[in-house]
Amino acid sequence: MLSILRKARLKDKELRILMLGLDNAGKTTIVKKIMNEDVNTVSPTLGFIIKTIDFHGYKLNIWDVGGQKTIRSYWRNYFEKTDALIWVVDATDKLRIDDCKAELKGLLQEERLAGASLLVFLNKTDVAGGMDEQEVTRVLELERILTHRWVVVSCSAMTGKNLETGLDWVVQDARDRLFLY
């Protein structure tokens, strides 16, 4: 039933994207860069921000939800009708990678996120000494994920590097899964 509803909605070429990750991973900066807004004035997101963009003929509704520890328990309020989950990882934050892994693992067990595409944006790869895609894939145990189609894309929210590549994958995966035209 859920997939039938998704297919009906997606005939309008509209996707609901939930962007989550630990605080300071760069979620809001990514959204601002995608929207061509100033990325030099970003403050922590307390609650959520919704931005809609037209992307290659699709309407992407991006829900950017704050990642502070005190807010994470409210994430479940945003799961309904999610077509894709963008999980943002700070490539330079090796100290909290285990927290990052635990939060992602919990999200992927949520029934309301079942079937959603998973894009892992490995952000801040323009900063020296950060983790690479292989290390993050290994540490987050992504290869064990059998419930979601996933990909890791290295990016930089500040420069915009690979942001479009990641969104391209999200749209293509939704097309493949949900029979979009």
Side-chain angles (χ1 to χ4, degrees):
M1 179 68 162
L2 182 60
S3 69
I4 291 170
L5 292 173
R6 280 188 176 152
K7 287 177 190 174
R9 186 167 38 89
L10 290 173
K11 286 189 173 146
D12 296 329
K13 293 184 160 187
E14 186 171 340
L15 293 172
R16 185 176 192 279
I17 299 171
L18 183 59
M19 185 173 295
L20 298 174
L22 302 186
D23 53 304
N24 201 39
K27 299 175 296 298
T28 302
T29 307
I30 287 171
V31 172
K32 282 182 162 264
K33 191 66 172 183
I34 290 168
M35 300 296 296
N36 292 316
E37 295 176 7
D38 180 17
V39 295
N40 296 307
T41 57
V42 177
S43 57
T45 303
L46 303 173
F48 66 96
I49 298 167
I50 305 169
K51 295 284 186 169
T52 301
I53 63 165
D54 289 318
F55 185 79
H56 301 309
Y58 290 85
K59 183 177 175 182
L60 306 183
N61 297 308
I62 302 173
W63 292 65
D64 168 19
V65 184
Q68 295 87 345
K69 196 167 196 161
T70 55
I71 296 176
R72 294 179 205 160
S73 62
Y74 297 103
W75 283 353
R76 63 183 29 90
N77 296 325
Y78 304 94
F79 294 167
E80 291 299 324
K81 299 179 184 172
T82 295
D83 298 303
L85 171 64
I86 298 178
W87 182 251
V88 181
V89 178
D90 180 344
T92 66
D93 193 358
K94 295 180 182 181
L95 293 176
R96 296 194 306 162
I97 196 67
D98 287 336
D99 290 343
C100 184
K101 174 183 168 182
E103 293 290 351
L104 178 59
K105 184 177 180 182
L107 287 172
L108 296 178
Q109 293 172 352
E110 292 286 342
E111 186 176 329
R112 289 178 293 161
L113 292 177
S117 307
L118 172 63
L119 166 61
V120 177
F121 261 146
L122 181 59
N123 190 28
K124 305 182 186 179
T125 55
D126 52 331
V127 179
M131 296 174 278
D132 63 18
E133 289 179 16
Q134 293 76 22
E135 184 177 0
V136 166
T137 299
R138 180 183 52 77
V139 173
L140 296 182
E141 298 179 348
L142 297 177
E143 292 179 355
R144 290 186 176 189
I145 298 172
L146 305 175
T147 54
H148 297 74
R149 289 163 59 156
W150 59 271
V151 69
V152 179
V153 175
S154 295
C155 70
S156 168
M158 294 304 287
T159 67
K161 178 185 140 206
N162 288 334
L163 297 181
E164 189 168 327
T165 301
L167 293 181
D168 278 334
W169 181 85
V170 166
V171 168
Q172 185 61 51
D173 189 62
R175 274 179 163 143
D176 294 347
R177 283 184 307 108
L178 304 169
F179 311 108
L180 287 176
Y181 44 91

